[in-house]
Amino acid sequence: MRLRSWLVVGISAALLLAIGAVGISVNRSALRAAETVHRADTLALATNNGGLVEQLLLLSAKELNDFVASHPLSLTPGDAGDRAALVEYAKKSTFFSYGVVLTDLTGNPVNATKAANLFPDQAAVGWKSLISGLALGRPGFSSLMTVKDTLVQAVAVPIVVGSDPVALIYGFIPVLKGQLQVYLEKLSDPSHLSLVVDAGGIVGASSDPSAVGTMVDSEIIKKIGSEESVFVTYRSGGRSMIAAVHGGLPGGWAYVRTQSTATFDGPVRNRSLTINLALLTMLLVGVAGLAVLGYRSQLVRRRAEERFAALVEHAPDVVTVLDDDGSVVYSSPSGKRILGFVAVGTSVFDLLHPDDRQHVRERFAALLDEKGGLERMQVRVSQADGNHRWFDFTASNQLHNAALNGVVINARDITDSREMQDRLAHDAHHDPLTGLPNRRRLQERLTASLQHTPVGVLFVDLDGFKPVNDELGHEAGDELLRQVGGRLSLCLRPTDVLARVGGDEFVLLLPGVVTPDDAAALATRLRASLSEPFDVVGNEVRIGASVGLHLAGPGEDPDEVLRTADQAMYAAKRGPDRPGRHRAL
């Protein structure tokens, strides 16, 4: 009997050891997989946010270029007209509200919006990265510099006449009120800190405004020049920290996402350790008998499942398991919270936007052929209300894994990030005042059209616009330009393109128009439409328009086409005078 009892104990202990070893192994595998995905997602997020920071930097340089292109400057030292144009531009600028400076090619000031002692000293170290960028033929971006307790960043582009640079224009961003600071404050999260640091490691923007102007850890500074997103570990205030660094941005700037190692690893590792300790405890208790072993095993298993269910239920990501046909066999509770319905039993392809389905089918088929393979993709998923949201999918082929037996998808909602990218792309090709395509977009459409079809080009310049600006103010002028854009749009065909190319000048592209009569008829309708009075901030305003026409054949040079239409417009302006006029109601 004693031998039998020991045999039962021995068998129970052996069984428990085997079960414990399997449980620990499975738990460790799941932990490694979760950590791998988490690290990959964190680096991908750092890369994505770094790219958005780069777009904002480049957009600031583009704004300077657009100002120079649309405001011819005399570049005469102290010229009053140049200074007035600079002051007006700084007031309206999205980025350079601190001020703007014109210099010659050697850096000697020519004109500025304020006194010289209110701008950074020319000997400041922060100029180094800006000068390096200009020397390489790119826009220049400085590191942080201090002017009378104000932190600023400088952006510079050359002013080109013909094909040669003749001067430089510098714009200064007050970093605490800049677009980068606004963007990072929107990304604020109590679990981590988002930073944008300059080449010297000084914080220029932060989701915590109090961190602006401080220095990051030396370990982070070592990786600022890395163009790939990398992890950096260091200690701060006695705590172990981890940061995702995406460097190589213009001017030597870098995006940094930092947090404590404890919050980065999250509760998953702690729960895993708890489960492992519980299993080891059960191994020791198991020698007391099969009954106690079975009871404790079931208790620990139930608690582990409850913990896992609680983690999955409150996780922001959606975890889904698919069979080899693509049907959903499991979806975490967060899926219902985000999508508005339970997807179990539905084909994942039916949940996708129609434009994404074929591509995802091809990627899914390739994933099934690769044991343990991973696929990353961004797709649109439908909600219960019929709308679609963007998700970042990480799919892992775990059909060979008996514990999972399916394709595991970790899905993260990235709709806000995609919308930010779309807004940046739209702003790069459209006029911010009227919403019409800008000169860059016009050039692209004209180039594409001239490859295949003739294009009629109408260059429209408003007559009598300047008195509106002078007498009613620039806000009235801006409102008049918006109304003019609306009226001109009503005269177009669906295939035509209307763009604002600067000041009070508009260009219309008429693909397929080959006869002067057709273009002249449209020009007559445009002038007639613009001759009707406008209601501008309570005032009746009347203006006219000078229209230049050029009929371009396929293969013509787009720049030459626009110049010819511009010259035709000026020829029309020299004809009968049609001054605009306005009067108060």
Side-chain angles (χ1 to χ4, degrees):
M1 191 66 162
R2 180 176 296 178
L3 179 60
R4 181 178 299 176
S5 298
W6 279 109
L7 182 60
V8 170
V9 171
I11 292 174
S12 300
L15 289 174
L16 186 56
L17 283 170
I19 294 172
V22 171
I24 291 173
S25 177
V26 170
N27 188 46
R28 185 173 298 173
S29 297
L31 176 62
R32 282 197 297 266
E35 288 181 336
T36 299
V37 171
H38 178 46
R39 282 178 168 263
D41 286 347
T42 301
L43 289 179
L45 183 61
T47 300
N48 183 65
N49 286 340
L52 293 177
V53 169
E54 181 176 10
Q55 289 298 316
L56 280 175
L57 290 172
L58 295 177
L59 197 60
S60 67
K62 179 183 178 299
E63 186 183 284
L64 279 178
N65 272 322
D66 289 347
F67 167 71
V68 172
S70 59
H71 294 77
L73 302 169
S74 71
L75 303 181
T76 302
D79 183 83
D82 284 2
R83 185 177 186 278
L86 295 177
V87 170
E88 184 65 24
Y89 168 57
K91 288 179 181 180
K92 294 185 176 182
S93 173
T94 304
F95 298 94
F96 307 114
S97 59
Y98 183 82
V100 184
V101 174
L102 287 176
T103 74
D104 60 21
L105 293 178
T106 61
N108 295 316
V110 172
N111 218 322
T113 58
K114 57 180 69 173
N117 64 347
L118 297 179
F119 291 103
D121 189 276
Q122 291 184 351
V125 177
W127 292 109
K128 182 178 179 181
S129 58
L130 181 145
I131 295 171
S132 298
L134 290 174
L136 295 174
R138 298 194 292 259
F141 300 90
S142 77
S143 298
L144 287 183
M145 296 180 285
T146 303
V147 184
K148 298 185 181 299
D149 298 326
T150 299
L151 285 173
V152 299
Q153 180 200 6
V155 180
V157 297
I159 299 176
V160 179
V161 176
S163 60
D164 298 320
V166 297
L168 299 173
I169 183 169
Y170 296 79
F172 293 87
I173 303 171
V175 296
L176 280 173
K177 299 179 182 179
Q179 293 298 308
L180 280 176
Q181 182 61 33
V182 173
Y183 169 62
L184 288 191
E185 288 186 25
K186 289 181 180 179
L187 294 180
S188 62
D189 188 293
S191 67
H192 65 268
L193 188 64
S194 295
L195 309 170
V196 176
V197 301
D198 67 11
I202 301 176
V203 178
S206 171
S207 55
D208 177 8
S210 65
V212 175
T214 62
M215 182 78 73
V216 297
D217 190 85
S218 60
E219 294 299 320
I220 296 177
I221 294 175
K222 294 176 183 178
K223 298 296 183 180
I224 286 178
S226 173
E227 295 186 2
E228 297 290 335
S229 295
V230 296
F231 280 114
V232 175
T233 56
Y234 62 99
R235 295 192 67 80
S236 176
R239 292 193 305 168
S240 176
M241 306 291 289
I242 185 169
V245 181
H246 181 79
L249 302 181
W253 287 72
Y255 170 81
V256 179
R257 184 180 188 270
T258 183
Q259 62 189 116
S260 68
T261 304
T263 58
F264 179 79
D265 290 336
V268 175
R269 179 171 291 185
N270 295 332
R271 301 297 184 186
S272 175
L273 179 60
T274 301
I275 294 172
N276 287 340
L277 291 175
L279 290 173
L280 290 173
T281 302
M282 292 306 300
L283 289 175
L284 297 176
V285 174
V287 297
L290 185 59
V292 176
L293 172 64
Y295 172 75
R296 288 295 185 94
S297 297
Q298 292 300 320
L299 180 61
V300 171
R301 185 183 298 276
R302 184 167 60 253
R303 288 179 177 174
E305 290 174 350
E306 289 172 354
R307 288 169 182 154
F308 177 76
L311 288 173
V312 172
E313 181 177 0
H314 297 95
D317 295 351
V318 180
V319 179
T320 304
V321 180
L322 311 178
D323 62 18
D324 55 4
D325 291 329
S327 296
V328 179
V329 297
Y330 169 79
S331 178
S332 61
S334 54
K336 181 179 180 181
R337 185 174 66 250
I338 296 175
L339 301 179
F341 62 91
V342 177
V344 174
T346 306
S347 172
V348 70
F349 305 113
D350 294 338
L351 303 178
L352 303 178
H353 191 280
D355 294 343
D356 296 337
R357 290 174 185 170
Q358 184 58 36
H359 174 65
V360 175
R361 285 184 184 275
E362 294 171 357
R363 298 283 291 275
F364 185 78
L367 180 63
L368 294 181
D369 293 336
E370 184 180 355
K371 182 179 178 181
L374 282 174
E375 287 281 354
R376 292 290 301 271
M377 63 194 85
Q378 293 185 357
V379 298
R380 289 160 289 183
V381 180
S382 62
Q383 295 179 286
D385 58 6
N387 293 322
H388 289 82
R389 296 190 68 81
W390 279 99
F391 281 84
D392 183 42
F393 274 17
T394 301
S396 173
N397 182 357
Q398 298 296 319
L399 288 167
H400 62 285
N401 189 332
L404 299 172
N405 192 28
V407 176
V408 180
I409 294 180
N410 184 283
R412 171 170 294 179
D413 189 335
I414 58 169
T415 304
D416 293 341
S417 177
R418 287 293 298 236
E419 289 177 351
M420 174 70 76
Q421 295 180 37
D422 293 342
R423 284 197 295 272
L424 289 175
H426 179 274
D427 292 346
H429 291 86
H430 289 78
D431 172 43
L433 176 64
T434 63
L436 295 174
N438 58 17
R439 181 179 291 272
R440 178 180 178 183
R441 183 59 175 163
L442 172 74
Q443 198 85 11
E444 293 175 355
R445 292 294 298 272
L446 179 58
T447 301
S449 297
L450 287 175
Q451 292 178 358
H452 308 289
T453 60
V455 180
V457 181
L458 295 180
F459 207 107
V460 181
D461 183 84
L462 303 183
D463 297 329
F465 175 75
K466 186 175 184 302
V468 177
N469 255 348
D470 294 342
E471 297 179 25
L472 299 181
H474 289 287
E475 290 186 3
D478 291 346
E479 174 60 23
L480 177 58
L481 289 174
R482 283 190 287 266
Q483 292 189 30
V484 167
R487 287 195 187 180
L488 294 178
S489 297
L490 295 175
C491 299
L492 303 182
R493 304 170 302 173
T495 57
D496 296 340
V497 178
L498 170 64
R500 180 180 175 226
V501 295
D504 58 350
E505 294 179 339
F506 297 81
V507 173
L508 294 86
L509 303 184
L510 315 172
V513 172
V514 296
T515 66
D517 291 342
D518 291 340
L522 176 59
T524 300
R525 291 200 304 274
L526 295 179
R527 282 195 293 267
S529 176
L530 296 180
S531 66
E532 295 294 325
F534 292 85
D535 182 5
V536 179
V537 293
N539 295 277
E540 181 181 283
V541 173
R542 293 180 179 272
I543 60 172
S546 297
V547 181
L549 165 64
H550 177 63
L551 299 177
E556 287 194 38
D557 179 66
D559 292 331
E560 186 61 32
V561 169
L562 290 177
R563 280 194 295 270
T564 303
D566 189 18
Q567 293 167 1
M569 180 273 295
Y570 277 108
K573 240 185 198 322
R574 291 192 294 268
D577 187 24
R578 298 188 300 277
R581 63 184 184 276
H582 63 275
R583 58 184 177 83
L585 292 175

